[in-house]
Amino acid sequence: MNFHSKPPRFSILVLGIACYITGVITSIGAFSPTRGFPWHRLSSCSRQGNRLILSTIKDSDTADAGQKRQQDRLLSLLEYIENRVAEGRLPCGLDATDNEQDLVASVIAEVEQDQVNNLSTLQSGKITAKDLFGDWQLLYTSSQTMIINKSLSGLGRSASESAQFTSLVQKLGGSRFLGTVEFVEQFGKGEDVLEAFITGEWYTKPERNPFTGAPITVIDIDPKKVVCGPSTQNGDQWGSLGPIKRLDIVYLSHDLMISRVNVNPEYVFVWQRL
């Protein structure tokens, strides 16, 4: 466990208390699969604003041929949302508006149809551990559990500025026989940056999408420990980790991975390889 700087004792105490309290938070959310872009949910003013955003992003696409443009379009949209963090909003879409969430869902639905760059499609849904090894930074999630907890571990719910969520990195390693995973969450800024670590094991399993019947690869993650400040807890006691325990890989390229929560496919995680 490493800190970027030595945190004040008060911050450590607050963080330790937050670890204990948020360890029992449970996952929530009901299934409502995303199907395209629900224009009917938006006002005419909102529709015009969304069309303008998508038009601007489309114009900024690279000249790459084929469907790779859809991935670039998604990255441009997420960059647009992330840049609004400077306005005091949370990163990774944790406080994205309904309109922004709808826009991202619409573009992701298009990216999933990529027949050229999506390894999940090219390999008939068979993704190997070797394809996933590496460090992945979270760009966006629509997980209601993370949104409510303002982080993966739940520490972001603390009122302390030292516990304000800033980033999440997923480190997938190990061997073909045993996968090891570490999630590194950062909280605070400047000299008050703290880190929380969630460690465990992971493996992949081929399955079929229960809604489409298409072959997919599922990532099963078994979190063993949660370490934050002076506190170490058993991972199976942290209900807030539910969304990342079982994920369906719906898109994978060399530098981008999109997964859906197995029990709530409406909720997505978008990761970029570091």
Side-chain angles (χ1 to χ4, degrees):
M1 172 176 55
N2 296 316
F3 296 105
H4 284 264
S5 61
K6 185 176 181 180
R9 292 184 179 178
F10 177 74
S11 295
I12 290 181
L13 178 60
V14 171
L15 197 56
I17 295 174
C19 285
Y20 175 78
I21 294 175
T22 58
V24 297
I25 297 175
T26 57
S27 302
I28 64 171
F31 167 61
S32 175
T34 301
R35 292 291 183 269
F37 181 63
W39 291 106
H40 63 279
R41 290 173 51 186
L42 307 178
S43 66
S44 59
C45 180
S46 297
R47 290 198 297 269
Q48 293 176 1
N50 287 332
R51 290 192 184 106
L52 178 59
I53 293 173
L54 287 175
S55 175
T56 301
I57 292 172
K58 183 176 181 180
D59 291 341
S60 66
D61 278 342
T62 65
D64 293 344
Q67 292 174 308
K68 175 119 181 358
R69 284 189 213 168
Q70 296 299 340
Q71 175 179 307
D72 296 336
R73 192 182 189 200
L74 174 61
L75 291 174
S76 296
L77 176 57
L78 297 183
E79 182 180 5
Y80 165 82
I81 295 175
E82 188 71 11
N83 285 340
R84 300 186 67 180
V85 171
E87 302 175 8
R89 299 177 59 187
L90 295 174
C92 302
L94 293 185
D95 57 2
T97 65
D98 289 344
N99 290 346
E100 289 169 342
Q101 288 183 345
D102 286 338
L103 280 169
V104 174
S106 175
V107 177
I108 285 179
E110 295 176 357
V111 172
E112 287 184 53
Q113 303 306 313
D114 187 343
Q115 302 293 317
V116 179
N117 305 286
N118 187 357
L119 288 181
S120 182
T121 300
L122 296 175
Q123 298 175 181
S124 299
K126 299 177 181 179
I127 302 298
T128 67
K130 186 177 179 181
D131 294 327
L132 300 172
F133 282 158
D135 296 351
W136 300 85
Q137 182 166 11
L138 182 66
L139 298 183
Y140 174 87
T141 184
S142 59
S143 164
Q144 286 300 301
T145 302
M146 276 199 66
I147 289 173
I148 290 175
N149 292 326
K150 300 180 180 179
S151 60
L152 176 61
S153 64
L155 297 176
R157 290 170 63 95
S158 171
S160 170
E161 292 184 2
S162 299
Q164 182 175 336
F165 172 83
T166 54
S167 68
L168 174 64
V169 174
Q170 174 183 220
K171 300 184 177 184
L172 298 174
S175 66
R176 57 182 293 187
F177 303 106
L178 178 63
T180 58
V181 61
E182 179 181 51
F183 292 91
V184 181
E185 274 192 310
Q186 285 195 346
F187 300 89
K189 298 179 180 179
E191 297 181 355
D192 293 328
V193 172
L194 303 176
E195 290 181 327
F197 302 88
I198 301 163
T199 59
E201 300 173 357
W202 69 284
Y203 61 92
T204 60
K205 183 167 63 174
E207 287 193 0
R208 286 195 173 273
N209 188 305
F211 304 101
T212 67
I216 57 172
T217 293
V218 173
I219 301 180
D220 279 322
I221 294 178
D222 182 14
K224 300 292 188 181
K225 292 183 179 180
V226 179
V227 180
C228 47
S231 175
T232 299
Q233 304 285 335
N234 292 329
D236 58 4
Q237 297 177 354
W238 286 63
S240 64
L241 304 180
I244 53 91
K245 288 184 176 181
R246 191 170 177 81
L247 297 170
D248 299 340
I249 302 176
V250 296
Y251 181 87
L252 180 68
S253 67
H254 175 71
D255 55 357
L256 194 70
M257 174 169 57
I258 303 175
S259 54
R260 292 187 179 274
V261 178
N262 181 265
V263 295
N264 290 307
E266 174 186 9
Y267 303 139
V268 300
F269 288 83
V270 180
W271 306 86
Q272 186 171 43
R273 192 188 296 272
L274 295 177

